[in-house]
Amino acid sequence: MPANACDKFRLDGRICFLSGATGQLGRPMAEALASAGAHVFVNGRCREAVEDLVSELRGNGGKASAACFDIIDGAAVKDAIAEIARNHARLDVVVNNASSGRAGTFEDMESADFEQSYRVNVVAAFQIVKAALPLLQAAAKLTAGASVVNIASMYGSVSPDPSIYGSSGANNPPSYGSAKAGLIQFTKYAACHLARDRIRVNCISPGPFPSQRYLDNDPGFHDRLRSKTPSARTGDPHEMQGPLLFLASDASSYVTGINLPVDGGWTAW
């Protein structure tokens, strides 16, 4: 047992894969993993953005490598995991954070939007975990266990309130929450079926972390968001770091199958 309880949150020597690493929430999560001592494989579709983040992490004393590919491309996923296997022969942490989709209303959505959202949020998470399974199993034999952290959303549990969006353009579509609900269920399924391999699978559901461009579109949007939250404020992306390190590290060695809201109390009303 570590002499200091804080040591349980360290990831020294661990190998981590983070999808969607260059986004609003992905970047601070990459910083958290690297600052805790992990070697972070930074995933994204834009090579320039990925390489910039890798350089930034290394410049701050962290260990990072680029993993530039589209997560819905099954062959690319297998190739990337194979590269990690050749160089490290283990994978301690997988963070399925990547998401995509367009904002819109019920009337705006088409069936193709559901299909795309499900592919990115659920199918891709599954194929990454499946491809990485031998490496997760190998890592679990060396530590207190391997960890998968899926990033869902408060809208995987509750419906958006259409009255708050105004002219912001941030209207949350039905396809997004449906896919995130699927990711939460996949988390519970995988947690139960992979526990025998000492692989923990948990979920974080972020709440309101609005992009600045939507706030600029509608000056009242931020106030309406804050009024819906018991904490009376929206989140700072860096507030994802603590929950992620908890679930990625040995600090949560007896935690699996949970969905952890990081929403300022939004879903507690």
Side-chain angles (χ1 to χ4, degrees):
M1 294 287 289
N4 187 332
C6 292
D7 291 344
K8 295 180 181 180
F9 291 86
R10 295 292 304 173
L11 294 170
D12 300 290
R14 309 288 173 95
I15 309 301
C16 301
F17 172 85
L18 170 63
S19 71
T22 62
Q24 181 186 17
L25 299 184
R27 182 174 288 271
M29 288 194 286
E31 294 168 353
L33 295 170
S35 68
H39 185 131
V40 185
F41 279 82
V42 174
N43 166 258
R45 291 180 296 177
C46 175
R47 182 166 297 279
E48 182 179 0
V50 167
E51 292 179 348
D52 283 350
L53 179 54
V54 167
S55 295
E56 180 181 322
L57 296 176
R58 290 176 177 174
N60 290 327
K63 298 176 182 178
S65 298
C68 188
F69 64 92
D70 190 334
I71 60 169
I72 67 173
D73 182 340
V77 169
K78 291 178 181 178
D79 288 346
I81 297 301
E83 180 69 16
I84 295 173
R86 283 191 292 271
N87 290 302
H88 300 280
R90 63 188 284 186
L91 185 54
D92 298 86
V93 180
V94 170
V95 184
N96 288 308
N97 169 63
S99 186
S100 68
R102 64 187 182 91
T105 65
F106 192 98
E107 293 79 7
D108 294 332
M109 291 295 103
E110 303 292 343
S111 59
D113 295 303
F114 280 84
E115 293 166 2
Q116 175 68 6
S117 190
Y118 198 85
R119 277 196 297 269
V120 174
N121 288 284
V122 185
V123 177
F126 163 74
Q127 63 189 17
I128 289 169
V129 174
K130 184 176 180 180
L133 187 55
L135 296 185
L136 290 165
Q137 291 168 330
K141 294 176 182 177
L142 303 172
T143 63
S147 174
V148 175
V149 184
N150 296 320
I151 309 301
S153 168
M154 63 183 184
Y155 287 152
S157 301
V158 298
S159 172
D161 178 351
S163 70
I164 68 175
Y165 290 102
S167 59
S168 67
N171 303 68
N172 198 277
S175 53
Y176 178 82
S178 298
K180 291 301 190 183
L183 184 59
I184 293 170
Q185 169 57 22
F186 171 67
T187 298
K188 295 177 184 295
Y189 182 98
C192 293
H193 287 261
L194 300 182
R196 64 191 177 207
D197 294 320
R198 297 174 63 240
I199 299 169
R200 297 177 294 104
V201 187
N202 293 292
C203 192
I204 297 175
S205 282
F209 289 85
S211 171
Q212 187 60 46
R213 65 190 176 99
Y214 293 128
L215 300 181
D216 292 341
N217 287 344
D218 184 342
F221 181 43
H222 206 180
D223 287 338
R224 293 192 296 274
L225 280 176
R226 287 191 288 245
S227 71
K228 290 280 292 184
T229 308
S231 298
R233 67 178 180 87
T234 55
D236 182 297
H238 286 86
E239 290 179 294
M240 289 289 291
Q241 293 180 323
L244 174 64
L245 287 182
F246 169 63
L247 292 177
S249 70
D250 293 347
S252 60
S253 58
Y254 196 51
V255 178
T256 195
I258 71 161
N259 177 37
L260 175 61
V262 182
D263 63 3
W266 185 292
T267 56
W269 282 118

